[in-house]
Short mmCIF file of all heavy atoms in Angstrom, two decimals:
data_model
loop_
_atom_site.label_atom_id
_atom_site.label_comp_id
_atom_site.label_asym_id
_atom_site.label_seq_id
_atom_site.Cartn_x
_atom_site.Cartn_y
_atom_site.Cartn_z
N ILE A 223 -1.84 -20.07 24.03
CA ILE A 223 -2.37 -20.35 25.39
C ILE A 223 -3.54 -21.32 25.25
O ILE A 223 -4.48 -21.05 24.50
CB ILE A 223 -2.84 -19.04 26.11
CG1 ILE A 223 -1.79 -17.96 26.05
CG2 ILE A 223 -3.24 -19.37 27.53
CD1 ILE A 223 -0.48 -18.31 26.74
N ARG A 224 -3.45 -22.39 25.95
CA ARG A 224 -4.54 -23.38 25.91
C ARG A 224 -5.67 -22.92 26.83
O ARG A 224 -5.48 -22.62 27.97
CB ARG A 224 -4.02 -24.71 26.35
CG ARG A 224 -3.06 -25.31 25.35
CD ARG A 224 -2.25 -26.46 25.88
NE ARG A 224 -1.11 -26.79 25.00
CZ ARG A 224 0.05 -26.18 25.15
NH1 ARG A 224 0.26 -25.23 26.07
NH2 ARG A 224 1.05 -26.47 24.32
N ALA A 225 -6.93 -22.88 26.23
CA ALA A 225 -8.07 -22.44 27.02
C ALA A 225 -8.30 -23.26 28.25
O ALA A 225 -8.58 -22.77 29.32
CB ALA A 225 -9.30 -22.43 26.12
N VAL A 226 -8.20 -24.57 28.09
CA VAL A 226 -8.36 -25.45 29.26
C VAL A 226 -7.03 -25.62 29.93
O VAL A 226 -6.09 -26.06 29.30
CB VAL A 226 -8.90 -26.86 28.79
CG1 VAL A 226 -9.00 -27.79 30.01
CG2 VAL A 226 -10.25 -26.72 28.15
N GLY A 227 -6.95 -25.21 31.12
CA GLY A 227 -5.67 -25.33 31.85
C GLY A 227 -4.83 -24.07 31.85
O GLY A 227 -4.04 -23.88 32.79
N GLY A 228 -4.93 -23.28 30.85
CA GLY A 228 -4.16 -22.02 30.81
C GLY A 228 -2.68 -22.18 30.57
O GLY A 228 -1.94 -21.18 30.72
N THR A 229 -2.19 -23.30 30.18
CA THR A 229 -0.78 -23.49 29.93
C THR A 229 -0.49 -23.05 28.50
O THR A 229 -1.36 -22.88 27.67
CB THR A 229 -0.36 -24.95 30.11
OG1 THR A 229 -1.12 -25.78 29.26
CG2 THR A 229 -0.53 -25.39 31.57
N GLY A 230 0.76 -22.86 28.18
CA GLY A 230 1.19 -22.47 26.85
C GLY A 230 2.50 -21.68 26.89
O GLY A 230 3.32 -21.96 27.73
N TRP A 231 2.61 -20.74 26.00
CA TRP A 231 3.83 -19.96 25.94
C TRP A 231 3.56 -18.65 25.29
O TRP A 231 2.54 -18.36 24.70
CB TRP A 231 4.91 -20.73 25.11
CG TRP A 231 4.46 -21.14 23.71
CD1 TRP A 231 3.93 -22.33 23.37
CD2 TRP A 231 4.45 -20.33 22.55
NE1 TRP A 231 3.58 -22.31 22.06
CE2 TRP A 231 3.92 -21.12 21.51
CE3 TRP A 231 4.90 -19.07 22.30
CZ2 TRP A 231 3.85 -20.67 20.21
CZ3 TRP A 231 4.81 -18.58 20.94
CH2 TRP A 231 4.24 -19.41 19.96
N THR A 232 4.52 -17.74 25.43
CA THR A 232 4.46 -16.35 24.85
C THR A 232 5.87 -15.92 24.48
O THR A 232 6.82 -16.22 25.15
CB THR A 232 3.81 -15.40 25.90
OG1 THR A 232 3.82 -14.08 25.35
CG2 THR A 232 4.52 -15.35 27.22
N VAL A 233 5.97 -15.24 23.32
CA VAL A 233 7.25 -14.74 22.79
C VAL A 233 7.04 -13.29 22.35
O VAL A 233 6.06 -12.99 21.71
CB VAL A 233 7.76 -15.60 21.65
CG1 VAL A 233 8.98 -14.98 20.98
CG2 VAL A 233 8.08 -17.02 22.07
N THR A 234 8.02 -12.45 22.71
CA THR A 234 7.97 -11.05 22.30
C THR A 234 9.34 -10.71 21.68
O THR A 234 10.38 -10.99 22.21
CB THR A 234 7.71 -10.15 23.51
OG1 THR A 234 6.51 -10.53 24.12
CG2 THR A 234 7.64 -8.67 23.10
N VAL A 235 9.28 -10.09 20.47
CA VAL A 235 10.47 -9.64 19.74
C VAL A 235 10.30 -8.14 19.53
O VAL A 235 9.26 -7.66 19.12
CB VAL A 235 10.56 -10.40 18.41
CG1 VAL A 235 11.75 -9.94 17.63
CG2 VAL A 235 10.52 -11.89 18.55
N ALA A 236 11.38 -7.41 19.76
CA ALA A 236 11.34 -5.96 19.59
C ALA A 236 12.57 -5.47 18.87
O ALA A 236 13.68 -6.05 19.02
CB ALA A 236 11.23 -5.28 20.96
N GLY A 237 12.42 -4.38 18.10
CA GLY A 237 13.55 -3.80 17.39
C GLY A 237 13.14 -2.83 16.32
O GLY A 237 11.95 -2.58 16.15
N PRO A 238 14.12 -2.34 15.58
CA PRO A 238 13.85 -1.41 14.44
C PRO A 238 13.01 -2.11 13.39
O PRO A 238 13.12 -3.31 13.16
CB PRO A 238 15.24 -1.05 13.93
CG PRO A 238 16.18 -1.48 14.96
CD PRO A 238 15.55 -2.57 15.77
N VAL A 239 12.19 -1.30 12.66
CA VAL A 239 11.30 -1.79 11.62
C VAL A 239 11.55 -1.00 10.35
O VAL A 239 11.73 0.22 10.46
CB VAL A 239 9.82 -1.65 12.07
CG1 VAL A 239 8.90 -2.02 10.94
CG2 VAL A 239 9.56 -2.52 13.30
N ASP A 240 11.49 -1.68 9.24
CA ASP A 240 11.44 -0.95 7.97
C ASP A 240 10.37 -1.56 7.07
O ASP A 240 10.13 -2.74 7.10
CB ASP A 240 12.83 -0.88 7.24
CG ASP A 240 13.43 -2.25 7.00
OD1 ASP A 240 12.87 -3.06 6.25
OD2 ASP A 240 14.51 -2.53 7.55
N VAL A 241 9.74 -0.70 6.30
CA VAL A 241 8.72 -1.14 5.36
C VAL A 241 9.41 -1.75 4.15
O VAL A 241 10.35 -1.15 3.64
CB VAL A 241 7.78 0.01 4.94
CG1 VAL A 241 6.81 -0.42 3.90
CG2 VAL A 241 7.10 0.57 6.19
N ILE A 242 8.90 -2.91 3.69
CA ILE A 242 9.46 -3.51 2.46
C ILE A 242 8.79 -2.76 1.29
O ILE A 242 7.58 -2.91 1.10
CB ILE A 242 9.22 -5.01 2.43
CG1 ILE A 242 9.97 -5.67 3.57
CG2 ILE A 242 9.53 -5.62 1.08
CD1 ILE A 242 9.76 -7.16 3.73
N THR A 243 9.58 -2.01 0.55
CA THR A 243 9.01 -1.19 -0.52
C THR A 243 9.30 -1.77 -1.90
O THR A 243 8.68 -1.31 -2.87
CB THR A 243 9.61 0.27 -0.44
OG1 THR A 243 11.03 0.18 -0.50
CG2 THR A 243 9.17 0.96 0.83
N ASP A 244 10.26 -2.68 -2.03
CA ASP A 244 10.52 -3.29 -3.32
C ASP A 244 9.28 -4.04 -3.74
O ASP A 244 8.78 -4.91 -3.03
CB ASP A 244 11.69 -4.25 -3.19
CG ASP A 244 11.97 -4.99 -4.53
OD1 ASP A 244 12.64 -4.40 -5.37
OD2 ASP A 244 11.42 -6.08 -4.69
N PRO A 245 8.70 -3.70 -4.90
CA PRO A 245 7.42 -4.30 -5.32
C PRO A 245 7.48 -5.79 -5.47
O PRO A 245 6.54 -6.50 -5.11
CB PRO A 245 7.08 -3.65 -6.67
CG PRO A 245 8.11 -2.62 -6.92
CD PRO A 245 9.14 -2.71 -5.88
N ASP A 246 8.59 -6.38 -6.01
CA ASP A 246 8.66 -7.79 -6.17
C ASP A 246 8.77 -8.53 -4.81
O ASP A 246 8.16 -9.57 -4.59
CB ASP A 246 9.91 -8.17 -7.06
CG ASP A 246 9.72 -7.70 -8.46
OD1 ASP A 246 8.58 -7.59 -8.96
OD2 ASP A 246 10.78 -7.38 -9.12
N GLU A 247 9.62 -7.97 -3.92
CA GLU A 247 9.71 -8.56 -2.58
C GLU A 247 8.42 -8.48 -1.83
O GLU A 247 7.98 -9.44 -1.19
CB GLU A 247 10.85 -7.89 -1.80
CG GLU A 247 11.18 -8.60 -0.48
CD GLU A 247 12.30 -7.92 0.25
OE1 GLU A 247 12.72 -6.77 -0.08
OE2 GLU A 247 12.74 -8.51 1.29
N ALA A 248 7.77 -7.36 -1.88
CA ALA A 248 6.44 -7.19 -1.20
C ALA A 248 5.46 -8.17 -1.79
O ALA A 248 4.68 -8.78 -1.03
CB ALA A 248 5.98 -5.73 -1.28
N ALA A 249 5.40 -8.29 -3.13
CA ALA A 249 4.49 -9.24 -3.76
C ALA A 249 4.71 -10.66 -3.31
O ALA A 249 3.82 -11.43 -3.06
CB ALA A 249 4.55 -9.11 -5.28
N HIS A 250 6.02 -11.06 -3.19
CA HIS A 250 6.36 -12.40 -2.71
C HIS A 250 5.76 -12.61 -1.36
O HIS A 250 5.12 -13.66 -1.11
CB HIS A 250 7.88 -12.51 -2.65
CG HIS A 250 8.34 -13.68 -1.81
ND1 HIS A 250 8.21 -15.00 -2.21
CD2 HIS A 250 8.89 -13.70 -0.56
CE1 HIS A 250 8.65 -15.80 -1.29
NE2 HIS A 250 9.08 -15.05 -0.27
N TYR A 251 5.93 -11.70 -0.40
CA TYR A 251 5.42 -11.89 0.94
C TYR A 251 3.87 -11.81 0.99
O TYR A 251 3.26 -12.48 1.82
CB TYR A 251 6.01 -10.85 1.93
CG TYR A 251 7.45 -11.22 2.18
CD1 TYR A 251 8.49 -10.37 1.82
CD2 TYR A 251 7.81 -12.44 2.77
CE1 TYR A 251 9.83 -10.68 2.08
CE2 TYR A 251 9.17 -12.80 3.02
CZ TYR A 251 10.12 -11.89 2.65
OH TYR A 251 11.42 -12.26 2.94
N ARG A 252 3.27 -11.07 0.09
CA ARG A 252 1.78 -11.00 0.03
C ARG A 252 1.27 -12.37 -0.43
O ARG A 252 0.18 -12.80 -0.05
CB ARG A 252 1.33 -9.86 -0.80
CG ARG A 252 1.46 -8.53 -0.08
CD ARG A 252 0.79 -7.42 -0.78
NE ARG A 252 0.88 -6.18 -0.03
CZ ARG A 252 1.84 -5.28 -0.21
NH1 ARG A 252 2.68 -5.37 -1.21
NH2 ARG A 252 1.90 -4.19 0.57
N ARG A 253 2.02 -13.08 -1.24
CA ARG A 253 1.62 -14.41 -1.70
C ARG A 253 1.82 -15.44 -0.57
O ARG A 253 1.03 -16.33 -0.39
CB ARG A 253 2.41 -14.85 -2.94
CG ARG A 253 1.91 -14.23 -4.24
CD ARG A 253 2.57 -14.86 -5.46
NE ARG A 253 4.04 -14.86 -5.38
CZ ARG A 253 4.81 -13.86 -5.81
NH1 ARG A 253 4.29 -12.77 -6.28
NH2 ARG A 253 6.16 -13.98 -5.69
N THR A 254 2.93 -15.31 0.14
CA THR A 254 3.28 -16.36 1.15
C THR A 254 2.67 -16.09 2.52
O THR A 254 2.50 -17.02 3.30
CB THR A 254 4.79 -16.47 1.27
OG1 THR A 254 5.36 -15.24 1.62
CG2 THR A 254 5.42 -17.00 -0.01
N LEU A 255 2.41 -14.83 2.83
CA LEU A 255 1.77 -14.47 4.12
C LEU A 255 0.34 -14.07 3.90
O LEU A 255 0.01 -12.86 3.89
CB LEU A 255 2.59 -13.37 4.81
CG LEU A 255 4.02 -13.68 5.14
CD1 LEU A 255 4.73 -12.43 5.62
CD2 LEU A 255 4.11 -14.80 6.17
N VAL A 256 -0.52 -15.04 3.60
CA VAL A 256 -1.90 -14.75 3.18
C VAL A 256 -2.70 -14.36 4.41
O VAL A 256 -2.41 -14.59 5.51
CB VAL A 256 -2.56 -15.94 2.48
CG1 VAL A 256 -1.81 -16.25 1.22
CG2 VAL A 256 -2.56 -17.17 3.37
N GLY A 257 -3.86 -13.70 4.11
CA GLY A 257 -4.85 -13.48 5.13
C GLY A 257 -5.37 -12.06 5.31
O GLY A 257 -6.35 -11.89 5.96
N TRP A 258 -4.75 -11.06 4.68
CA TRP A 258 -5.24 -9.73 4.89
C TRP A 258 -5.77 -9.17 3.56
O TRP A 258 -5.30 -9.56 2.47
CB TRP A 258 -4.13 -8.78 5.42
CG TRP A 258 -3.50 -9.37 6.64
CD1 TRP A 258 -2.19 -9.61 6.80
CD2 TRP A 258 -4.14 -9.80 7.83
NE1 TRP A 258 -1.93 -10.16 8.03
CE2 TRP A 258 -3.12 -10.27 8.68
CE3 TRP A 258 -5.44 -9.84 8.25
CZ2 TRP A 258 -3.39 -10.80 9.96
CZ3 TRP A 258 -5.72 -10.33 9.48
CH2 TRP A 258 -4.72 -10.84 10.33
N THR A 259 -6.71 -8.26 3.63
CA THR A 259 -7.27 -7.61 2.42
C THR A 259 -6.23 -6.76 1.76
O THR A 259 -5.51 -6.01 2.44
CB THR A 259 -8.43 -6.78 2.85
OG1 THR A 259 -9.40 -7.59 3.56
CG2 THR A 259 -9.13 -6.14 1.69
N HIS A 260 -6.13 -6.87 0.46
CA HIS A 260 -5.20 -6.03 -0.25
C HIS A 260 -5.76 -4.61 -0.28
O HIS A 260 -6.98 -4.41 -0.24
CB HIS A 260 -5.10 -6.51 -1.70
CG HIS A 260 -4.44 -7.86 -1.81
ND1 HIS A 260 -3.12 -8.03 -1.54
CD2 HIS A 260 -4.94 -9.07 -2.08
CE1 HIS A 260 -2.82 -9.31 -1.69
NE2 HIS A 260 -3.90 -9.96 -1.99
N GLY A 261 -4.92 -3.62 -0.21
CA GLY A 261 -5.35 -2.26 -0.22
C GLY A 261 -4.36 -1.38 0.49
O GLY A 261 -3.24 -1.77 0.77
N PRO A 262 -4.80 -0.16 0.81
CA PRO A 262 -3.83 0.81 1.37
C PRO A 262 -3.34 0.43 2.80
O PRO A 262 -2.33 0.97 3.23
CB PRO A 262 -4.67 2.12 1.42
CG PRO A 262 -6.06 1.68 1.47
CD PRO A 262 -6.10 0.37 0.67
N HIS A 263 -4.05 -0.47 3.49
CA HIS A 263 -3.60 -0.84 4.81
C HIS A 263 -2.97 -2.26 4.82
O HIS A 263 -2.99 -2.91 5.80
CB HIS A 263 -4.72 -0.77 5.80
CG HIS A 263 -5.20 0.66 5.98
ND1 HIS A 263 -6.26 0.96 6.69
CD2 HIS A 263 -4.71 1.85 5.55
CE1 HIS A 263 -6.45 2.30 6.72
NE2 HIS A 263 -5.48 2.84 6.00
N ASP A 264 -2.45 -2.69 3.70
CA ASP A 264 -1.80 -3.99 3.58
C ASP A 264 -0.34 -3.74 3.46
O ASP A 264 0.18 -3.44 2.40
CB ASP A 264 -2.34 -4.72 2.34
CG ASP A 264 -1.74 -6.09 2.20
OD1 ASP A 264 -1.12 -6.63 3.15
OD2 ASP A 264 -1.84 -6.70 1.06
N THR A 265 0.41 -3.80 4.59
CA THR A 265 1.79 -3.40 4.65
C THR A 265 2.66 -4.57 5.10
O THR A 265 2.26 -5.40 5.92
CB THR A 265 1.93 -2.30 5.70
OG1 THR A 265 1.07 -1.22 5.29
CG2 THR A 265 3.34 -1.77 5.76
N VAL A 266 3.83 -4.69 4.42
CA VAL A 266 4.78 -5.71 4.80
C VAL A 266 6.02 -5.00 5.36
O VAL A 266 6.57 -4.12 4.73
CB VAL A 266 5.19 -6.54 3.58
CG1 VAL A 266 6.18 -7.65 3.96
CG2 VAL A 266 3.98 -7.18 2.90
N VAL A 267 6.40 -5.38 6.59
CA VAL A 267 7.54 -4.81 7.25
C VAL A 267 8.57 -5.88 7.63
O VAL A 267 8.25 -7.07 7.70
CB VAL A 267 7.10 -4.04 8.55
CG1 VAL A 267 6.13 -2.91 8.19
CG2 VAL A 267 6.55 -4.96 9.59
#
């Protein structure tokens, strides 16, 4: 949403979720989806 003018877009996606538990797959996404602190609340779904 653009602050000046208020125009923009919004998208919502809904459905079933599963946690990615495979350590190699989760590590791949932790490398490619950067930005969160590693630790017990760093989850990939």
Side-chain angles (χ1 to χ4, degrees):
I223 310 297
R224 291 164 196 87
V226 176
T229 58
W231 55 266
T232 177
V233 172
T234 303
V235 180
V239 173
D240 56 63
V241 175
I242 295 177
T243 57
D244 177 85
D246 293 331
E247 187 179 12
H250 163 74
Y251 288 117
R252 286 190 176 98
R253 282 190 306 274
T254 59
L255 299 172
V256 296
W258 309 123
T259 303
H260 295 288
H263 294 173
D264 182 16
T265 304
V266 182
V267 300

